[in-house]
Amino acid sequence: MPTPDVREKQSSRERWRWQFDATAAFAPSFEQPPVLDKQLIEQNRRFDAALENMSQGLCMFDADRRLLVWNKRYLEIFGLRTDHLCVGMSQRQIIEILVNLGRYAAGATVETLSEGTRTSLSEGQATSILRELADGRTVSATHRAMTGGGWVATFEDVTERRRNEDRIAYMARHDALTDLPNRVSLHEFGNAILDQPMLDRSLAVLCLDLDRFKLVNDGFGHALGDRLLRCVAHRLRRQVRNGATVARVGGDEFVVLHLVKDLKEAEALTRRLIAAVSAPYDFDGLRIEIGMSAGIVLSGKMDRDVTQLLQSADLALYQAKLDGRGVFRVFEPQMDESARARLGLERELREALINGRFEVHYQPLVELSSNDVVGLEALVRWRHAERGLVSPAMFIPIAEETGLIVPLGEWVLRRACEDAKRWPGHVCVAVNVSAHQLRQRTFATMVLSVLSESGLDPKRLELEITESVLLDETDANLETLHVLRAHGIRIAMDDFGTGYSSISYLRRFPFDKIKIDRSFVREIGEKPEAAAIIRAIIGLGQSLNMTTLVEGIETDMQRQAVLAEGAHEMQGFLFSPPRPAPEVDALFGVKHSKTRAA
Ligand code: C2E
Ligand code: MG
Ligand code: MG
């Protein structure tokens, strides 16, 4: 080690001069004219300034691994004092000082550190190695060999950059709202588990979806929706073992990966998850309840890719949703087939809409007291090349799911208004509206423009909505209905009595008409309470000043019964099944004009 007095003399300027003295090319000579010496001094001063102002730490070693030059930044990065270094000390000595001062993170030894430099230099071009320091910082060291031997090492504190990179990498693999892993990491985790040789348990993949989350989001605002999602994430995480994965893969969709002994264990876990998420939430006194549906699949011995398992669990989830929400279903191979069939149907529906394969048939709404037709309900049909006339009960649910109901519903409305325009002025036309349509912000504008284009008096249009529309009740939905009603359009509640909340909805919106579901009529004469229920609903309608219509009248006995109960109107096969437009035109004695296809 150099003595302190020797070190003292090593001012940075001297270091430089020493370097230039040592390198033959610039070696100053006493014989040289003074002007060159001056130039050299100026050059040295400039190099010195450049060296001291570098943002990187720098050390230069000669072919014997002895220190020639260093700068202030190097001392700063490694927390060295000026007197720790001197020209001519070996690289190993410097490393020893640093190790003794405890500058490097645990595990780094003089040997490994020296070896690191050697390997880096032997690779030929300048390569960087990362050095972890004891205080948590990371330093990138780059070694560049010089011609004629020796090397220049530069050091950069990359702690902040590393943190940013780590943060970015974390963000790319996690969901910002809940901090759960996202789809990318879910696949990585899943595949890593499936890759384990001799996996003695099965991987349970659970696809989870909140029921009616949209209601909370729309009804209470996105901030509350976000809070709810964070709470759900927290509850899910609490239910699973360490090592299991809970990921968020979509708005209100989560996936759990869990190693299990058998299906029973996966089912028990899913039950626990559903119960945990379904327990009420309290947000500053506001009580919120939400349900969750789940689809389960277990990995088999041959499964190596989690993608297929996720698809299967998703199909099982879809089935759970169909079966009434709040439940779970285990994947079965035939779910795959029905999903394929559904996809096929969806494609066919789109083609049918483009190729004009839909028709509107009309079923009369008859005034009971006079037997007069006071309106016609528009019921859409699909004329299928092989299957013939397809019932809406079969394709409306798929049209609703896929959003196709929006263009299809608009087409039905337009057709119905154009057809009704030809009928006598006192006859109205009733058109069914799905919840999905009503949710469109442009729905009211669309209805009003179709009316004005067709020239039909708004008073002659009746929109039938079912309970599902009100289940999705939001201020926006009710506002739309109010706007339409203010324009003279009548609003009817369809299939009354099929949902257990029907009565409470009557208080929330001033319906013009209640259509009592045909399931009650079917039971007239069989169950005495059927007539009593119809009587009660009719009484309720009258007290609220709403017209009451009974659906599904097939026999004269049923007609007599509902007439006796005081219903205003009826609809059913007894009078007429739904008929194509030309037949309705004939009924009213008007000439049928050639209609445009869908
Ligand atoms: P809905 O609105 O309750 O229509 C009445 C349904 O009952 C019609 O079935 C009709 O044919 C049937 N019906 C009428 N009288 C009788 C009867 O006496 N006995 C029996 N057993 N059935 C009778 P359809 O045409 O198959 O329509 C089924 C459902 O599809 C409709 O129920 C409605 O909810 C929906 N739908 C039909 N067209 C449209 C549409 O353009 N848009 C929307 N969103 N839904 C539609
Ligand atoms: Mg209807
Ligand atoms: Mg109905």
Side-chain angles (χ1 to χ4, degrees):
M1 288 280 278
T3 56
D5 51 329
V6 172
R7 285 188 210 133
E8 210 79 309
K9 291 179 192 148
Q10 310 281 335
S11 81
S12 65
R13 182 147 310 173
E14 279 169 320
R15 286 194 323 262
W16 267 114
R17 189 152 307 141
W18 190 90
Q19 188 220 333
F20 282 99
D21 289 351
T23 49
F26 293 102
S29 135
F30 290 118
E31 283 82 43
Q32 278 179 318
V35 55
L36 191 59
D37 193 33
K38 258 174 117 180
Q39 275 178 1
L40 203 56
I41 290 169
E42 179 56 18
Q43 186 109 333
N44 268 347
R45 206 189 57 75
R46 284 191 200 134
F47 273 119
D48 208 21
L51 194 69
E52 291 311 302
N53 287 300
M54 273 173 73
S55 62
Q56 292 176 320
L58 180 141
C59 287
M60 187 187 278
F61 295 90
D62 65 13
D64 297 327
R65 310 179 77 83
R66 303 221 158 252
L67 183 62
L68 296 175
V69 175
W70 67 93
N71 69 355
K72 199 167 76 200
R73 184 72 188 123
Y74 174 73
L75 300 177
E76 282 168 8
I77 288 177
F78 288 97
L80 293 169
R81 288 193 315 269
T82 333
D83 61 349
H84 276 127
L85 301 185
C86 67
V87 169
M89 67 194 299
S90 72
Q91 189 220 8
R92 192 179 170 87
Q93 280 176 315
I94 302 175
I95 293 176
E96 277 167 2
I97 294 174
L98 290 169
V99 170
N100 289 337
L101 286 170
R103 292 292 183 260
Y104 286 109
T109 63
V110 176
E111 270 63 42
T112 56
L113 292 163
S114 313
E115 185 54 33
T117 314
R118 253 194 302 276
T119 334
S120 163
L121 280 167
S122 67
E123 281 169 13
Q125 68 273 80
T127 45
S128 299
I129 34 179
L130 291 180
R131 300 283 196 212
E132 304 296 339
L133 301 195
D135 60 6
R137 285 178 304 135
T138 307
V139 171
S140 157
T142 310
H143 301 91
R144 278 186 191 79
M146 295 189 294
T147 39
W151 76 93
V152 176
T154 48
F155 302 86
E156 194 182 356
D157 186 337
V158 292
T159 317
E160 197 49 35
R161 195 173 76 203
R162 264 274 295 260
R163 274 193 202 133
N164 285 340
E165 283 167 5
D166 287 351
R167 216 170 292 146
I168 291 165
Y170 185 86
M171 277 158 60
R173 304 173 78 256
H174 287 80
D175 162 48
L177 181 70
T178 58
D179 206 31
L180 290 178
N182 62 11
R183 200 179 276 280
V184 176
S185 8
L186 174 74
H187 276 84
E188 288 171 7
F189 292 147
N191 289 342
I193 296 171
L194 292 172
D195 262 352
Q196 286 174 28
M198 317 284 283
L199 192 63
D200 59 344
R201 284 175 294 168
S202 298
L203 178 68
V205 178
L206 318 179
C207 279
L208 313 169
D209 190 294
L210 302 182
D211 299 330
R212 306 198 191 289
F213 171 71
K214 203 179 170 321
L215 271 183
V216 176
N217 223 18
D218 289 353
F220 298 103
H222 290 241
L224 195 115
D226 286 355
R227 266 177 87 182
L228 179 63
L229 288 171
R230 275 196 291 265
C231 288
V232 168
H234 181 67
R235 288 186 185 183
L236 290 175
R237 237 182 329 211
R238 266 203 326 219
Q239 292 299 322
V240 301
R241 258 198 310 266
N242 266 350
T245 303
V246 179
R248 179 171 174 234
V249 295
D252 60 348
E253 291 164 47
F254 298 85
V255 171
V256 171
L257 301 180
H258 211 283
L259 284 171
V260 291
K261 249 187 358 273
D262 51 22
L263 185 60
K264 250 178 142 170
E265 190 186 337
E267 289 180 351
L269 167 69
T270 312
R271 262 186 225 107
R272 274 205 321 275
L273 293 172
I274 293 178
V277 169
S278 308
Y281 298 80
D282 184 335
F283 296 120
D284 313 320
L286 180 67
R287 191 183 146 103
I288 301 263
E289 279 185 52
I290 193 147
M292 187 170 81
S293 309
I296 310 177
V297 71
L298 246 56
S299 67
K301 285 203 165 40
M302 302 309 284
D303 283 313
R304 283 289 164 272
D305 187 357
V306 80
T307 314
Q308 182 59 49
L309 293 172
L310 282 166
Q311 272 169 18
S312 303
D314 215 31
L315 286 175
L317 168 65
Y318 176 75
Q319 190 59 49
K321 289 260 173 200
L322 286 185
D323 291 352
R325 297 156 196 265
V327 293
F328 67 83
R329 291 289 172 259
V330 180
F331 173 74
E332 290 162 22
Q334 70 264 26
M335 289 179 182
D336 237 351
E337 285 156 35
S338 56
R340 253 192 295 274
R342 248 173 40 82
L343 274 179
L345 199 62
E346 185 189 329
R347 201 196 56 240
E348 279 190 281
L349 268 181
R350 284 184 200 282
E351 286 168 6
L353 195 61
I354 294 166
N355 299 328
R357 298 279 183 265
F358 289 104
E359 292 174 14
V360 181
H361 288 200
Y362 296 94
Q363 186 176 32
L365 314 178
V366 181
E367 193 173 69
L368 269 164
S369 55
S370 62
N371 258 2
D372 281 346
V373 173
V374 288
L376 288 118
E377 177 173 5
L379 294 158
V380 66
R381 265 102 186 88
W382 175 12
R383 194 166 290 281
H384 193 280
E386 290 123 45
R387 289 184 239 184
L389 216 52
V390 184
S391 146
M394 190 215 165
F395 62 83
I396 291 284
I398 293 166
E400 284 173 341
E401 250 172 61
T402 53
L404 268 178
I405 192 70
V406 173
L408 178 62
E410 180 174 344
W411 178 81
V412 172
L413 178 73
R414 198 175 296 278
R415 163 70 0 104
C417 291
E418 283 167 5
D419 287 341
K421 191 76 201 331
R422 298 190 299 272
W423 308 335
H426 68 279
V427 177
C428 75
V429 66
V431 177
N432 293 284
V433 173
S434 292
H436 191 89
Q437 285 173 274
L438 196 69
R439 274 201 297 270
Q440 307 295 306
R441 282 212 198 100
T442 50
F443 182 72
T445 329
M446 182 278 286
V447 173
L448 296 174
S449 73
V450 167
L451 273 173
S452 86
E453 282 161 31
S454 64
L456 187 76
D457 181 353
K459 289 194 187 64
R460 292 181 60 199
L461 176 64
E462 200 165 271
L463 295 180
E464 294 190 5
I465 63 166
T466 60
E467 196 192 22
S468 67
V469 166
L470 293 152
L471 270 181
D472 277 7
E473 180 199 349
T474 59
D475 291 345
N477 276 3
L478 288 183
E479 180 59 29
T480 304
L481 288 179
H482 279 293
V483 167
L484 293 167
R485 202 161 174 272
H487 279 82
I489 297 161
R490 288 152 48 87
I491 311 289
M493 182 184 237
D494 205 356
D495 308 326
F496 186 89
T498 48
Y500 46 85
S501 320
S502 300
I503 292 181
S504 67
Y505 292 130
L506 293 184
R507 270 191 280 124
R508 296 194 206 162
F509 189 80
F511 289 95
D512 297 287
K513 183 186 270 187
I514 308 175
K515 297 186 77 175
I516 301 168
D517 192 68
R518 66 169 185 266
S519 55
F520 298 106
V521 177
R522 219 183 303 134
E523 290 170 350
I524 287 183
E526 290 168 24
K527 292 187 186 162
E529 61 270 26
I533 293 171
I534 291 180
R535 189 178 315 135
I537 302 174
I538 291 171
L540 188 69
Q542 279 167 348
S543 65
L544 292 168
N545 231 354
M546 298 173 185
T547 305
T548 46
L549 178 147
V550 182
E551 296 178 327
I553 304 286
E554 294 181 358
T555 66
D556 198 51
M557 188 272 280
Q558 290 168 338
R559 192 188 77 88
Q560 297 292 344
V562 298
L563 183 62
E565 299 303 349
H568 301 112
E569 294 174 8
M570 66 152 198
Q571 174 180 4
F573 294 164
L574 177 67
F575 195 88
S576 164
R579 297 268 187 224
E583 290 185 32
V584 179
D585 286 350
L587 176 79
F588 293 127
V590 292
K591 208 167 154 312
H592 179 72
S593 63
K594 186 93 186 106
T595 49
R596 270 188 295 115

